[in-house]
Amino acid sequence: MKPSSMKSWAEAAPRLVAVAAGRQAADLVIRNGIWVNVQSRELLPGHDIAIAEGRIAYVGPDGSHCVGPETQVIDAAGRYMLPGLCDAHMHIESGMLTPAEFARAVIPHGTTSMFTDPHEIANVLGLEGVRLMHDEALLQPVNIFTQMPSCAPSAPGLETTGFEITPEDVAEAMSWPGIVGLGEMMNFPDVVNGDAKMLAEIAATQNAGKTVGGHYASPDLGPAFHAYAAGGPADDHEGTQEADAIARVRQGMRAMLRLGSAWYDIESQITAVTEKGLDPRNFIICTDDCHSGTLVNEGHMNRAVRHAIECGCDPLVALQMATINTANHFGLEREIGSIAPGRRADIILSSDLRALPIDTVIARGQIVAEGGRITVDCPHLDWPDHARKTVHLGKTLAAEDFVIAAPAGANSVRVKVIGVVENQAPTKALSADLPVIDGRIEAEGEVCQIALVERHRATGAVSNAFVQGFGYRGRMAMASTVAHDSHHMIVVGTSREDMALAANRLGEVGGGVVLFADGVEQAMVELPIAGLMSDDHAESVAAKAEALGAAMEAAGCRLNNAYMQHSLLALVVIPELRISDKGLVDVTRFEVTDLIEKVLQ
């Protein structure tokens, strides 16, 4: 199957000039709309848009000279004509969907350009996995640009991945047609410390004239932050407060404000623009991680833009942050991000600039969605069999594999506990006093067990620790092969028997998410591709995810989008405490740490 393609501006220019001059007829003309001009931040009523070769030929108050007998005409009837929305930083795998199915889910919400970092699959299948994602992305009727993953593993020495990404891999990928830059540079400590490998990856990207993505997940805005900025990352989406956004733009970086399924970081940072009055050109809206339930039931970039407006941002400024600002950042302002001559004809018709209902979506001059329904095909890649067989446990797990032994003679101990923070990626480093029964440390109250099960090399290894914040009660366990970023298997539970059942079940089906209660399977989302994605339709995956959420709630969990919190508990580059195949990781010190703090008696 050939990639979806269109003529370059240079190739299309003779036709565009002829259409704009009235010598030739346009393929499509949109009449009588309000032109949302993000270049000048204006609303211009009574304008027409003429389209040819998938690009915009003319935008003006009267496009009748561009209409011929074969021209398709759409009457905007006074609606807003705005650029297709751009997601500046996202992970398709977080939607539990392949690129084709992700595109199918978000196109009706007005997303026509995505900048995706497939570092999830890079941890499982290496450079081959990145290429498969890249190739399926190029088949789609919208623009999916790929950033080459930078960090697999995200923190060398603190986790073991299925594959490692090298500077040579990065250099090779920079020649691929859909690669626009380097994915988020999560290993900020090594950048700050001048690590040769990390700087080589950044150099390969800069030498190719492409954009380096950032990920500075630290509250320290002192010399370490300045050193990171000096290393070359051009943006960052890990800010959680106003000071973070201000620090980034002052250093010449773009502050990416995210609203994902569980990350609510726009409201706390948008005040840098709405209250402090900073120039909004260097602020960008993104989603980072959205699961299928959010996409189907709430939206995508339209949801994020609406939220920014609700937080006090001027609608035109919010739209700039989701269109032209993103295009400028990636050097693509002559291709996407605005309604102007020569640009790809990615256009939304909407009746309300604040509520942002998406009436019609046009991508590359083709109607791709109307009334919330997709109207085009999103082609699938033929994924190889080995990409569907990636869960290798090495043995059948038993309850004994999840036992945490106490020091000899102890009756109770003080342990370190991972504390989940609702709607944020960071965790808290907590402590709890737990009883010892028959030589085993037992979780109780708000504390339950967490385990990371190695699944790439069939070692059968299990790391055990404790977590707090989910609110689980009764005998239950939930397991997931989505475990950012090394993507082993995370199991959280109150019952070691159910933990073993859940882990073994995912081994049987080849990956996904499953919840057991009282020894019975309650919900399952199968993710056979790399243990990360389903190639089923988003609606089907969302329904299973909704059933999973209901099962989590029935087990006592009340957190918003708790599954996203579950999947990030192994992300050893975001403070404060995480779990990996190496054990419990103190991310403030970037070192493996002891689980037991003190023997109490």
Side-chain angles (χ1 to χ4, degrees):
M1 188 174 293
K2 294 182 178 180
S4 177
S5 62
M6 62 183 299
K7 290 182 178 179
S8 68
W9 187 342
E11 292 169 333
R15 175 97 189 277
L16 299 179
V17 170
V19 169
R23 294 191 298 272
Q24 291 186 24
D27 300 324
L28 171 66
V29 171
I30 306 171
R31 303 294 307 271
N32 189 31
I34 302 172
W35 177 17
V36 179
N37 194 320
V38 294
Q39 299 278 8
S40 59
R41 203 186 300 164
E42 292 180 285
L43 297 177
L44 301 168
H47 276 65
D48 298 351
I49 303 172
I51 298 166
E53 305 289 353
R55 295 182 178 272
I56 296 167
Y58 171 87
V59 191
D62 182 4
S64 58
H65 64 290
C66 304
V67 178
E70 304 300 320
T71 302
Q72 181 182 3
V73 178
I74 297 174
D75 184 4
R79 288 176 292 175
Y80 295 97
M81 306 181 297
L82 53 142
L85 303 177
C86 308
D87 192 345
H89 173 72
M90 56 168 290
H91 306 285
I92 284 176
E93 302 100 315
S94 293
M96 303 179 176
L97 306 167
T98 59
E101 287 304 317
F102 198 101
R104 184 177 174 274
V106 303
I107 287 171
H109 297 306
T111 301
T112 58
S113 294
M114 291 170 266
F115 294 82
T116 177
D117 177 357
H119 70 216
E120 320 303 349
I121 202 168
N123 280 271
V124 181
L125 294 173
L127 189 62
E128 180 197 12
V130 177
R131 185 73 202 216
L132 290 167
M133 295 288 284
H134 165 275
D135 289 353
E136 184 163 299
L138 291 182
L139 299 175
Q140 304 315 311
V142 292
N143 315 306
I144 303 182
F145 302 101
T146 301
Q147 294 176 284
M148 175 61 197
S150 61
C151 300
S154 61
L158 296 180
E159 64 179 357
T160 308
T161 56
F163 285 84
E164 292 189 14
I165 294 297
T166 67
E168 292 75 22
D169 291 334
V170 172
E172 176 184 336
M174 288 302 138
S175 66
W176 299 352
I179 296 288
V180 293
L182 187 68
E184 54 184 318
M185 178 52 70
M186 295 177 291
N187 190 357
F188 62 89
D190 274 2
V191 174
V192 171
N193 293 325
D195 177 76
K197 178 182 177 183
M198 294 298 99
L199 294 183
E201 291 187 4
I202 293 173
T205 307
Q206 292 174 323
N207 290 337
K210 300 180 188 292
T211 304
V212 178
H215 176 116
Y216 183 77
S218 170
D220 180 4
L221 297 177
F225 168 70
H226 290 265
Y228 184 74
D235 56 62
D236 189 42
H237 58 275
E238 286 298 329
T240 59
Q241 57 186 335
E242 182 187 89
D244 294 332
I246 291 173
R248 283 149 176 78
V249 299
R250 282 178 177 170
Q251 294 297 316
M253 301 172 77
R254 260 74 177 210
M256 290 188 174
L257 317 182
R258 64 182 170 186
L259 180 76
S261 291
W263 323 137
Y264 284 62
D265 297 319
I266 290 179
E267 185 174 7
S268 60
Q269 297 182 87
I270 198 74
T271 52
V273 173
T274 60
E275 296 179 12
K276 292 295 191 294
L278 270 64
D279 190 329
R281 287 179 299 172
N282 289 319
F283 290 80
I284 291 172
I285 293 173
C286 70
T287 66
D288 199 359
D289 299 293
C290 279
H291 67 62
S292 54
T294 301
L295 301 178
V296 170
N297 300 315
E298 299 179 44
H300 188 232
M301 281 301 294
N302 57 332
R303 167 179 175 260
V305 171
R306 278 198 303 265
H307 178 67
I309 295 169
E310 290 166 358
C311 291
C313 190
D314 179 277
L316 285 178
V317 173
L319 284 168
Q320 286 179 314
M321 292 180 182
T323 57
I324 190 63
N325 291 8
T326 302
N328 283 331
H329 179 55
F330 289 99
L332 290 168
E333 65 275 6
R334 301 280 287 175
E335 283 291 313
I336 62 172
S338 66
I339 297 174
R343 277 68 173 181
R344 299 183 187 189
D346 301 335
I347 300 164
I348 297 168
L349 298 183
S350 177
S351 59
D352 189 320
L353 216 53
R354 286 184 173 273
L356 212 59
I358 307 298
D359 300 336
T360 301
V361 183
I362 296 167
R364 303 176 187 171
Q366 177 186 18
I367 296 174
V368 292
E370 287 191 282
R373 295 184 177 277
I374 193 162
T375 58
V376 293
D377 182 41
C378 294
H380 284 242
L381 195 71
D382 184 14
W383 288 78
D385 286 344
H386 64 268
R388 299 175 182 271
K389 298 175 181 177
T390 63
V391 181
H392 310 292
L393 301 183
K395 66 178 183 180
T396 299
L397 294 163
E400 289 297 313
D401 290 300
F402 301 95
V403 167
I404 303 176
N411 294 315
S412 63
V413 294
R414 180 165 296 157
V415 299
K416 294 172 183 173
V417 178
I418 301 170
V420 173
V421 181
E422 187 170 23
N423 289 332
Q424 288 195 359
T427 63
K428 293 294 184 183
L430 306 177
S431 295
D433 297 343
L434 298 178
V436 175
I437 301 174
D438 296 330
R440 303 175 176 189
I441 305 175
E442 300 291 345
E444 66 176 10
E446 285 290 306
V447 177
C448 57
Q449 279 195 224
I450 180 172
L452 187 135
V453 179
E454 198 282 328
R455 66 118 162 163
H456 297 312
R457 293 175 171 81
T459 64
V462 179
S463 297
N464 288 293
F466 296 99
V467 66
Q468 178 177 320
F470 287 111
Y472 290 130
R473 60 178 185 267
R475 297 176 59 80
M476 59 75 60
M478 190 172 92
S480 171
T481 51
V482 179
H484 302 268
D485 269 333
S486 56
H487 296 290
H488 290 291
M489 182 190 297
I490 290 178
V491 190
V492 172
T494 61
S495 157
R496 289 187 283 264
E497 289 76 17
D498 284 320
M499 292 175 78
L501 286 170
N504 290 326
R505 182 74 172 117
L506 293 187
E508 292 174 6
V509 302
V513 193
V514 66
L515 189 144
F516 275 75
D518 295 319
V520 178
E521 182 179 312
Q522 304 295 315
M524 162 85 83
V525 184
E526 297 91 345
L527 302 174
I529 298 178
L532 302 173
M533 299 177 291
S534 168
D535 50 2
D536 201 353
H537 286 339
E539 294 85 353
S540 176
V541 177
K544 292 180 179 180
E546 185 175 355
L548 176 71
M552 293 175 73
E553 187 171 345
C557 184
R558 296 291 185 269
L559 292 180
N560 175 54
N561 281 309
Y563 166 71
M564 299 299 290
Q565 307 284 4
H566 181 109
S567 69
L568 260 71
L569 291 172
L571 186 50
V572 294
V573 291
I574 298 184
E576 296 177 340
L577 205 57
R578 304 280 164 169
I579 191 171
S580 84
D581 62 303
K582 304 289 187 181
L584 196 62
V585 178
D586 181 340
V587 188
T588 62
R589 297 175 179 271
F590 274 84
E591 63 184 22
V592 176
T593 186
D594 292 332
L595 174 63
I596 299 173
E597 291 185 329
K598 183 179 181 181
V599 175
L600 299 177
Q601 54 176 313

